[in-house]
Amino acid sequence: MSPFEHGEVFVLDDGGEVDLDLGNYERFLDIKLTRDNNITTGKIYQYVLDKERRGDYLGKTVQVVPHITDAIQEWIERVAVIPVDGKEGPADVCVIELGGTIGATIYSRNNDNGILDAGDIESMPFIEALGQFSYHVGPGNFCLVHVSLVPVLNVVGEQKTKPTQHSVRGLRGLGLTPNILVCRSAKVLDENVKEKLLQFCHVPAANIITLNDVTNIWHIPLLLRDQKAHEAILKILNLQGVARQPKLEEWTDRAKLCDALHDPVRIAMVGKYTGLSDSYLSVWKVNMSSYQFMHTLMHEQALLHATVACHKKLVVDWVPSTDLEDDTAKEAPDAYKAAWNLLKGADGILVPGGFGDRGVQGKILAAKYARENNVPYLGICLGMQIAVIEFARSVMNLRDANSAEFDPDTRTPCVVFMPEGSKTHMGGTMRLGSRRTYFQVTDCKAAKLYGNVSYVDERHRHRYEVNPDMVPEFESAGLAFVGKDETGKRMEIIELPAHPYFVGVQFHPEFKSRPGQPSALFLGLIAASCGQLDALLQNPSHLSKPIPGRISSNGVFLPKVYQNGHQKGHTHMPAKSLVNGNYYSNANGVHV
C-alpha cells in the first residue's frame, strides 16, 4: 500500500495494516477496529476464489456480477453487525467510505455506531455493489453522502459548482443517487450557490452541507452540528425518534482552547526528508521518503493530542537526518548548519520509525545530542534502536556497534533480526498488532506516565529488535530496560534514569493516541519539553476533563489520559501544577 496513494499505514490491534482514513475513524470516534473493517479488491477476489475452490458456486462461471458484487455486499453485512465501541449487540449504523472520487455512504441497521472502510478504490465492482445494496436494503436504510469540492476562483472569488454537478451526474449514471451533499470549500457557500446545487443536483437545501476552512480541526464536528447534518441523516434513516442529541461540549471546549492559546513548544522530528519541494511547501513543508511520509502524519497528530494536556502550541521542526551528518558539512555546509540550528533550538527531539540505512548516522547524532545535553528524547521503533546503538558506541566504547539491518556483518550487533521473521517474504511478516509489555520496575518514568500499571498493550510493526544477549552489558553501563515482553527476552522500553526524559520504545504509541486522550509517552515528551514533567509524575493518576465554559488562554485544561484506550480511575491534578501551561493545535495541512 503506497503511502503516497493511501496515506499512512495504520496498524490495528489485530495486526491489520490499513490506510489513514480508517485510522482517523478509530481516533476520532475512540473505537477499536479490526482488519475486517478494511475492504480491498485483493481481499474480495481472494474471498471469491476461495469459495470457488471449495465448490460453493457448484461449477458455475464466476463473474464480476453477481459473484464479486455479492461478495462485497456479504462482507458489508457481516462486518456491519460487529460492535466496535465495546458495547454488546450488533451495531445499528455502519459508515462505509468508498474511496477515490465517490464519497461516503451511511448504511443503517437500527441505531448505534459501526464503521467500515471500503478502501481507496475506484474500480467499478464496488460502485455496482453499493448500487445493488441500496436497492437491497430499501429506503430508510441507506443514505448516500457525496463529498465534493466547490473551488473558488481567486481572481473573482466565485464559487464554482460545475465539479459537483458533473460528479452527481456521474453517480446517477452508475446507479447511486446522493441524499446529502457535503461541499468542501474555502469559505461558506453563498445562498445562490446552494440554490444552483439544489436545482441541478436535486438535493434539498437542508441537505447541502458546507465544510469550509476553519482555524483548527476540532471545529469540524461543530460545523456539521450547526448545519444540522446529523438531523438530515437521521431523517433519511428514519431514526429521529430514537437518536439522542450530540454531546459535543468537550469538542467545543477543545476548539475554543486551540484558538486561544499561543505559547509554543518546539519538537524536532528527525527523519529521512529528501529535500524541499514547492509542491509540498504549503502542506508539509518537506518532501519525505515513503516510509517516513506515512508515519509523519500520525506522529504529528499524537504530538497535538499531547500538547492539549500541556497548553502549548505545537511547532514541529522537520530535521533531515542526512543533513546532520559530516558528509553534508563538506558537501552542503548551509544545509548542515540549518539542520543543527533546528535541532539545537528544539525543546524536545522525536526520532520516529523507519527502514533502511540512509540517514541513520544523522539520527544517531541526534540521539547523542539529546543524551549529552539533557534534551527530552523519544525514540520510536527504529528511534529506540538508534538510541541503543549510540549508547553502545559513545558510552560503552563499542565503536563498531551497529544493527544487523544496516550492517549484516557487524561484529557488535546491538540490534538483530527477530528469530521468527522471514528474510524471503517481506509482505505481512513483521511483528504486527497489539503486544503486551511488562514493566520490570515501578520507579521509572514510563510506568508512572502509564498510571503505575504492571503492563501495557501497545501496537507493533517491526522486524528487528535489541539483541537480548547484550542486555546485561547495557544495563551494567547504565541503560535501563524498564519494559519487556512476556518472555523477558524482547526489549520494549528503554530509559536513562539520570536523564530528564530519554525514552525509547519498540512499539508505536502514536497508533492509540486519541483527541483528548493523549498517548502517555507523547505526553511525557511534551511535558518534559515545557518543564511540566515533574508535576505530572508527582501525580501519576489520570487527569480530569475540561470544565465547559471555564477555559481561558492560559487556563488549566486537563483532559483524561486513558490507559490503552480504556478509562481508569483518576484524581484531579492541582491547577497550580500546570500554571504556565498553554496549548494550541495548528491543524495546518489538515483538509476535510
Side-chain angles (χ1 to χ4, degrees), residues 276-287:
L276 295 177
S277 168
D278 289 342
S279 61
Y280 286 89
L281 283 175
S282 63
V283 182
W284 291 114
K285 308 294 191 298
V286 291
N287 183 14

Side-chain angles (χ1 to χ4, degrees), residues 161 164-166 168-169 172 177-178 181 196-203 208:
T161 64
T164 303
Q165 293 181 44
H166 282 292
V168 170
R169 188 179 301 117
R172 288 199 177 117
T177 301
L181 288 180
K196 187 179 292 185
L197 291 172
L198 182 156
Q199 181 179 3
F200 289 101
C201 299
H202 304 160
V203 175
I208 299 176

Side-chain angles (χ1 to χ4, degrees), residues 88-166:
E88 295 183 357
D92 297 316
V93 176
C94 178
V95 178
I96 307 164
E97 179 183 308
L98 182 56
T101 58
I102 304 303
T105 308
I106 297 180
Y107 159 57
S108 168
R109 239 192 114 84
N110 285 321
N111 223 8
D112 205 311
N113 291 317
I115 283 292
L116 189 69
D117 181 6
D120 191 15
I121 303 163
E122 297 174 300
S123 57
M124 293 302 296
F126 287 84
I127 303 170
E128 174 64 24
L130 286 177
Q132 295 178 16
F133 191 65
S134 64
Y135 177 78
H136 168 64
V137 299
N141 289 312
F142 189 90
C143 172
L144 176 59
V145 180
H146 179 48
V147 182
S148 179
L149 175 67
V150 178
V152 178
L153 296 182
N154 291 332
V155 177
V156 294
E158 180 184 3
Q159 294 174 324
K160 305 299 293 184
T161 64
K162 284 296 183 183
T164 303
Q165 293 181 44
H166 282 292

Side-chain angles (χ1 to χ4, degrees), residues 119 131 172 175 202 225 360 379 508 517:
R172 288 199 177 117
H202 304 160
R225 178 202 59 188
V360 163
H508 290 267
Q517 302 166 23

